[in-house]
Amino acid sequence: MMKFTQSCRIHEKKIYRNEALFYSDQALDDKTNFKTFIKGAYKYLGQSYPKFFKMDRLSKLGFIAASVLFSDRVLSAYAPEEIAVVMANRHSTLVTDTKHCESIKNREAYFPSPSVFVYTLPNILVGEICIRYGFKGENAFFISNQFDQDFMYQYANLLFQSGETKACLVGWVDYKDEADYSAILHLLET
Amino acid sequence: MNQLIEQLKVQIIQQLNLEDVEPQEINEDEVLFGGDLGLDSIDALELIVLLEREYGIKIKNQEEGKEVFVSVRTIAEFIDQNS
């Protein structure tokens, strides 16, 4: 039987861990952009992970959500292969897709960026979290209109029933623009 | 050469999104890969794009890339010899 043990929620420049306010931007006005907010959260967490700055905004959002969720919880009781990650969002990697598209539309100045291109699939967000925390279990990324918790839990339950998964990070990480982004991560364990 | 080295440091920081690194923090003789900057294979590709876009220079093969991308100074010398 799986149970919900940890959570993180991010929206409107506020981060909640287990529904308690964990971090909010000090300058809560419209001039504070996502870049400032997410970098502030990174500093607040005391992270030292230079690759963070190379990630696209979707991956930064998911990475910070996972970092908050695991900031007071280490999954050392499980083997790397026993920890699964199942995510979903609505806008996939639309912002990065558009950025990549802009870089290749002019045939006279055709300089696609490798570091942009690698973020044109949403499951790289799962990869970034798995690399950071050493998870090697099952993973999946779904595209849907909204966070369908019942579906996600049902999928996680199937993984638990397989016997190979002992913990599963389930979540929604979506980035459309500066004003429209959200992350919801739940840790499920047996 | 010194001006080119300083220009390269700024361009590398911008191209590789090294947000917390200042140009003066990069030692032009320090190895780029395997050093403190934490660069990876994607960064190597970005440096190839940087050379082509900013200086019109193409890296011919992997071996040449290994020789050129040792440090900021070796990149600057390569640009100086090929532009």
Side-chain angles (χ1 to χ4, degrees):
Chain A
M1 184 71 178
M2 66 182 193
K3 58 183 183 293
F4 169 101
T5 56
Q6 292 275 114
S7 73
C8 176
R9 187 160 54 86
I10 302 176
H11 69 105
E12 295 177 346
K13 301 169 192 166
K14 290 183 181 145
I15 301 178
Y16 297 86
R17 184 176 67 190
N18 299 326
E19 292 307 314
L21 185 62
F22 177 83
Y23 173 82
S24 67
D25 200 302
Q26 296 299 307
L28 285 174
D29 56 43
D30 291 339
K31 293 176 184 172
T32 306
N33 59 26
F34 176 82
K35 183 180 174 181
T36 306
F37 162 67
I38 210 73
K39 188 175 179 180
Y42 172 85
K43 299 281 185 190
Y44 183 76
L45 279 158
Q47 296 275 318
S48 179
Y49 195 70
K51 196 171 188 303
F52 171 79
F53 294 107
K54 300 174 188 173
M55 296 178 194
D56 74 344
R57 293 184 167 196
L58 177 70
S59 285
K60 279 180 176 167
L61 180 60
F63 181 88
I64 289 297
S67 299
V68 170
L69 190 144
F70 294 121
S71 61
D72 68 344
R73 178 69 204 279
V74 179
L75 298 181
S76 56
Y78 305 112
E81 294 77 11
E82 293 175 333
I83 305 168
V85 181
V86 182
M87 300 252 181
N89 78 3
R90 182 178 186 184
H91 293 95
S92 186
T93 52
L94 189 59
V95 172
T96 304
D97 294 348
T98 304
K99 191 175 178 182
H100 175 65
C101 193
E102 288 293 320
S103 75
I104 61 172
K105 71 179 183 185
N106 184 353
R107 304 302 298 184
E108 302 303 315
Y110 189 84
F111 294 109
S113 164
S115 62
V116 170
F117 180 73
V118 294
Y119 288 102
T120 56
L121 281 175
N123 53 348
I124 195 163
L125 159 61
V126 174
E128 294 288 8
I129 293 171
C130 289
I131 290 167
R132 176 70 179 88
Y133 293 98
F135 303 156
K136 295 180 181 174
E138 292 287 334
N139 67 73
F141 201 107
F142 297 98
I143 306 297
S144 62
N145 272 331
Q146 65 272 324
F147 181 41
D148 186 344
Q149 183 173 305
D150 291 342
F151 169 77
M152 301 292 278
Y153 273 37
Q154 191 178 8
Y155 190 89
N157 196 38
L158 287 172
L159 296 178
F160 283 113
Q161 285 176 10
S162 74
E164 294 175 4
T165 297
K166 298 288 192 298
C168 185
L169 185 63
V170 171
W172 170 268
V173 182
D174 189 54
Y175 185 93
K176 181 188 176 192
D177 56 40
E178 295 272 352
D180 190 351
Y181 60 86
S182 61
I184 305 166
L185 293 189
H186 293 172
L187 180 63
L188 303 176
E189 297 175 82
T190 50
Chain B
M1 180 61 74
N2 285 342
Q3 191 179 347
L4 178 56
I5 285 172
E6 294 311 309
Q7 180 179 298
L8 263 175
K9 288 179 182 177
V10 173
Q11 289 172 331
I12 287 171
I13 287 169
Q14 288 173 345
Q15 186 81 15
L16 306 186
N17 290 321
L18 304 175
E19 287 197 21
D20 273 1
V21 179
E22 297 295 330
Q24 60 270 25
E25 293 174 339
I26 301 177
N27 180 336
E28 54 268 30
D29 294 310
E30 187 180 321
V31 290
L32 286 170
F33 293 89
D36 292 341
L37 292 176
L39 305 191
D40 58 22
S41 57
I42 297 295
D43 295 318
L45 295 172
E46 286 290 351
L47 290 177
I48 291 170
V49 172
L50 170 68
L51 284 189
E52 193 173 337
R53 190 186 63 216
E54 300 296 331
Y55 300 97
I57 301 171
K58 285 189 177 182
I59 298 292
K60 296 185 187 74
N61 53 54
Q62 192 176 349
E63 289 309 309
E64 184 175 63
K66 282 181 182 175
E67 292 174 10
V68 172
F69 296 134
V70 171
S71 66
V72 173
R73 185 181 297 281
T74 58
I75 299 174
E77 288 170 350
F78 179 74
I79 293 169
D80 190 48
Q81 290 161 10
N82 290 276
S83 59

